[in-house]
Amino acid sequence: MCGIVGYVGTKDAAPLIVDGLRKLEYRGYDSAGVAVHAGKGIEIVRALGKLVNLSVALEKHPLLGTTGIGHTRWATHGRPSEINAHPHASGPVAVVHNGIIENHVALRLELEGLGVRFLSDTDTEIVAHLVARELAVAPGKVSLFVAAQAALRRVVGAYAIAVVSKDEPDVIVVARSGSPLVVGLGQGETLCGSDIPALLAHTRDVVFLEDGDVAELRASGVRIETVAGEAVTRPVKHIDWSHVQAERGGYKHFMLKEIHEQPEVVEATLRGRIDLAEGDVYAGEMGVPPEVARTIQRVYFVACGTSHHAAIAGRYWVEQLAKVPAVVELASEVRYRDPIFFPTDLVVAISQSGETADTMAAVKSAKAAGARILALSNVVDSAIPRSADGALYTHAGPEIGVASTKCFTTQLAALLLLAVYLGRRRETLPKERAQAVLQALWETPALMREVLGDADYMHLIAKRIAKATDVLFLGRGLGFPIALEGALKLKEISYAHAEGYAAGEMKHGPIALIDERMPIVVVCPKDAQYDKTFSNIQEVCAREGQVIAIATRGDEQMLEVAQHIVWIPAARDEVLPLLTVLPCQLLSYFVASLKGNDVDQPRNLAKTVTVE
Ligand code: F6R
């Protein structure tokens, strides 16, 4: 996720800003840049790659001044490159931005129509041009603060921005809507940052901006108004976290932080991609041209591990909504068979890292057979998207915990969008059903927040099962990939043996394992498969297994059979996996944490598997 740092005071801004950016490195980035008011105007230095490259560039071109902004970029619109690195400039202003501007296509077209020439592929550059144009309405008469407010009234989406102007050397204007931004109040200096660690070397007194706030930062302090121009006050908070705690946002582990980030990153993955009025998904965002969507004869998913579990859900959605035959293959197996691909296949390679060697090898086989490749990845321009015909990106931001959590739920969200998109192009999905699915998906982050609000209960259940050496996870339909994912998470970080099974398969073998010592997590929300899964629960109970049910709030009969029930809110069947997986992630996390395991870096595992 992008990182923002700003400084206005009496010290040399550039080194302080680079130092602040270094404190945000854990957020991940592909390029970086700084803009400083250097007396006569704003000067910008940017570099692709690590911050050391920016430092080298700054040695060659020192920026001297006491007001400046800096940025580390995690690409979302436009590939990682120096040209796309922030800050972006227009006339007297320079801007850094974190987030996604939903109406970027319309605004860019409008600005191009007015003769604006864009230098980058980013959505951010739009903000620079909008602010510059507001300033140009009455040169010298409009403040940067007012111009930024007016510009932001045109912007739809999520953003945290910081802007400086040649004409106001002692001011930084910042704003937030949906992306984090904190203001730090020092002695004769004011800072801003995407996250607390960027500020801790200078101050522990901070103001958390709220959505819709625009703030004017001067060395003497901060003044805040809403985008609409109404004055507001926000409390000053004193932070006593250590640096390490601050990096994890106060959570004990990155994995727990990432579990709790899921509503936000699912929102980011959906943002700007859904047309609720038309019940459709914007073609430009999907990586599959409409004519290809109409003519493919099969969707062939390849992926490994957690991404493979997302693929199983993807197959259900593609079959149900787009009525295209779909298969799912473990990428690590594809190359050892003689897989049969056709030029009329859409091969969807799912890989959060975009670098997994087995998935890459499967893509090569499919390409050789002339199939069309769509990469679904979290890392813009990584190896798999680069070798694909198109890419659909999730916007989870970098995932630091080795066990994947937020990348999984964003993959689910992106796959459901893909299924709706294919269904609409192929006319297999009526507008009304598409509208209902997309509406439900859009509302899902709020329901995810509700489920995560009950994390303490999962801690309690984790205490009860922490000593279990074997745990069974069962699920049916869209609950099946969640059972697989729940078992994988538990194995990976708690080192307990866990099996994920299709509930209907229980009778064909695993039922022999069940006794009073065996915890069985059953994914059993009120969906189309509910009655069948419920009867599996009764079979488990008859053998004295301990049932932990993930069930829909209000399901009274569940109270009679399950030892523990984790309630999730009622929702449409299609979006349930985004909810039912959350208790599974929390359960694994708490079991591993109770055992004192290294949750973020479990033994023997690597975040990106680049060997076959
Ligand atoms: C599990 C996990 C792994 C990855 C797998 C594929 O928590 O993270 O199973 O899902 O190694 O990785 P990507 O998605 O990067 O191809």
Side-chain angles (χ1 to χ4, degrees):
M1 263 176 279
C2 302
I4 291 177
V5 178
Y7 176 87
V8 50
T10 52
K11 297 180 193 142
D12 207 2
L16 290 180
I17 290 168
V18 175
D19 195 47
L21 292 175
R22 210 163 272 131
K23 301 282 176 5
L24 298 181
E25 272 192 306
Y26 65 91
R27 293 167 69 91
Y29 64 102
D30 48 60
S31 53
V34 182
V36 169
H37 198 293
K40 293 199 194 99
I42 306 285
E43 290 188 25
I44 296 178
V45 171
R46 304 181 292 184
L48 184 62
K50 292 286 158 199
L51 279 170
V52 63
N53 299 351
L54 180 65
S55 299
V56 170
L58 282 167
E59 272 167 32
K60 286 194 198 132
H61 182 154
L63 299 182
L64 299 174
T66 57
T67 303
I69 53 177
H71 189 264
T72 43
R73 175 171 188 253
W74 170 264
T76 54
H77 286 91
R79 57 197 291 271
S81 66
E82 193 178 318
I83 287 204
N84 287 334
H86 302 204
H88 291 283
S90 174
V93 305
V95 175
V96 294
H97 161 232
N98 168 20
I100 293 166
I101 293 171
E102 280 174 39
N103 56 342
H104 69 103
V105 176
L107 287 175
R108 192 173 175 120
L109 282 174
E110 178 190 320
L111 288 164
E112 280 171 345
L114 294 168
V116 171
R117 204 168 66 81
F118 279 81
L119 300 177
S120 75
D121 307 318
T122 64
D123 50 350
T124 306
E125 197 184 334
I126 290 163
V127 181
H129 292 304
L130 288 176
V131 177
R133 291 182 73 80
E134 292 296 337
L135 287 170
V137 171
K141 298 215 172 78
V142 181
S143 71
L144 181 61
F145 187 66
V146 168
Q149 281 172 317
L152 291 172
R153 287 198 282 269
R154 309 256 359 250
V155 169
V156 179
Y159 55 76
I161 64 153
V163 198
V164 286
S165 163
K166 168 178 174 283
D167 301 321
E168 292 182 54
D170 304 320
V171 170
I172 303 174
V173 173
V174 299
R176 134 170 208 164
S177 175
S179 297
L181 201 68
V182 195
V183 174
L185 304 172
Q187 297 294 322
E189 57 189 13
T190 304
L191 300 101
C192 64
S194 297
D195 222 340
I196 307 262
L199 313 175
L200 286 184
H202 307 274
T203 180
R204 286 177 175 271
D205 293 325
V206 304
V207 175
F208 292 95
L209 293 185
E210 291 186 13
D211 285 348
D213 285 356
V214 184
E216 186 184 64
L217 276 50
R218 294 176 180 272
S220 53
V222 59
R223 113 181 137 93
I224 310 174
E225 286 184 7
T226 63
V227 180
E230 199 184 307
V232 283
T233 45
R234 304 286 175 219
V236 179
K237 300 221 164 116
H238 187 77
I239 299 291
D240 48 18
W241 295 342
S242 69
H243 276 285
V244 174
Q245 277 174 317
E247 279 191 2
R248 297 180 192 141
Y251 291 102
K252 193 170 162 203
H253 294 101
F254 278 112
M255 182 181 172
L256 189 58
K257 177 175 181 243
E258 286 162 0
I259 288 174
H260 283 276
E261 271 170 15
Q262 290 179 102
E264 187 190 314
V265 294
V266 166
E267 245 156 32
T269 299
L270 301 177
R271 209 176 278 288
R273 291 177 160 167
I274 295 178
D275 183 345
L276 278 179
E278 286 304 313
D280 212 343
V281 173
Y282 294 117
E285 294 284 333
M286 287 293 104
V288 183
E291 62 282 9
V292 175
R294 276 192 282 271
T295 52
I296 46 159
Q297 293 188 9
R298 181 171 69 159
V299 176
Y300 195 120
F301 292 99
V302 289
C304 294
T306 289
S307 298
H308 173 252
H309 301 155
I312 298 173
R315 173 177 64 196
Y316 286 29
W317 286 320
V318 164
E319 287 171 347
Q320 277 176 7
L321 304 176
K323 311 280 182 227
V324 193
V327 289
V328 179
E329 288 288 348
L330 282 165
S332 52
E333 279 296 309
V334 165
R335 61 179 326 206
Y336 302 110
R337 306 195 341 249
D338 281 330
I340 299 165
F341 292 109
F342 300 106
T344 48
D345 280 342
L346 175 67
V347 172
V348 182
I350 309 177
S351 171
Q352 72 79 19
S353 62
E355 301 285 343
T356 298
D358 286 316
T359 311
M360 188 63 182
V363 164
K364 280 189 186 147
S365 312
K367 257 183 115 165
R372 169 130 197 145
I373 317 288
L374 172 69
L376 199 168
S377 178
N378 192 44
V379 183
V380 174
D381 233 26
S382 49
I384 294 172
R386 276 204 312 273
S387 65
D389 299 299
L392 167 55
Y393 288 110
T394 50
H395 295 310
E399 193 174 59
I400 295 167
V402 165
S404 188
T405 52
K406 61 177 182 168
C407 282
F408 178 67
T409 41
T410 53
Q411 285 169 347
L412 293 177
L415 285 165
L416 186 47
L417 289 182
L418 178 66
V420 170
Y421 172 71
L422 295 177
R424 295 293 281 141
R425 301 290 77 64
R426 300 170 74 84
E427 297 179 16
T428 53
L429 180 62
K431 178 175 167 184
E432 295 68 33
R433 180 163 180 206
Q435 278 172 323
V437 171
L438 292 173
Q439 182 69 39
L441 186 56
W442 186 243
E443 288 166 6
T444 299
L447 303 183
M448 295 171 86
R449 284 189 182 98
E450 213 178 291
V451 177
L452 292 169
D454 285 340
D456 287 351
Y457 184 56
M458 294 316 297
H459 195 187
L460 200 86
I461 299 178
K463 283 187 188 153
R464 304 262 162 86
I465 71 156
K467 292 210 169 74
T469 49
D470 303 277
V471 181
L472 193 59
F473 286 75
L474 298 176
R476 196 184 279 269
L478 283 165
F480 171 50
I482 301 309
L484 294 176
E485 178 58 8
L488 179 67
K489 285 286 91 80
L490 193 68
K491 276 186 271 218
E492 282 184 296
I493 58 171
S494 82
Y495 315 141
H497 169 242
E499 292 275 354
Y501 249 87
E505 281 293 295
M506 188 179 69
K507 297 191 200 56
H508 300 285
I511 199 163
L513 293 170
I514 296 172
D515 63 18
E516 71 287 354
R517 283 166 313 193
M518 171 76 108
I520 297 145
V521 180
V522 190
V523 182
C524 188
K526 281 269 185 183
D527 60 7
Q529 291 80 31
Y530 173 81
D531 289 339
K532 291 253 158 47
T533 314
F534 189 80
S535 58
N536 294 130
I537 294 182
Q538 288 170 314
E539 285 156 11
V540 171
C541 291
R543 284 149 190 92
E544 298 188 1
Q546 302 174 43
V547 173
I548 299 161
I550 300 173
T552 303
R553 204 178 299 290
D555 179 357
E556 301 269 322
Q557 65 170 356
M558 196 60 84
L559 293 165
E560 288 159 26
V561 288
Q563 270 80 5
H564 302 286
I565 306 177
V566 188
W567 297 117
I568 59 158
R572 274 188 77 92
D573 286 12
E574 294 90 344
V575 302
L576 285 170
L578 286 111
L579 302 176
T580 52
V581 74
L582 304 177
C584 300
Q585 296 169 341
L586 286 166
L587 185 69
S588 309
Y589 169 77
F590 286 124
V591 170
S593 178
L594 285 166
K595 288 182 168 177
N597 293 355
D598 187 347
V599 171
D600 286 331
Q601 297 200 323
R603 68 186 183 203
N604 307 337
L605 291 178
K607 184 73 191 156
T608 306
V609 185
T610 51
V611 288
E612 291 165 22

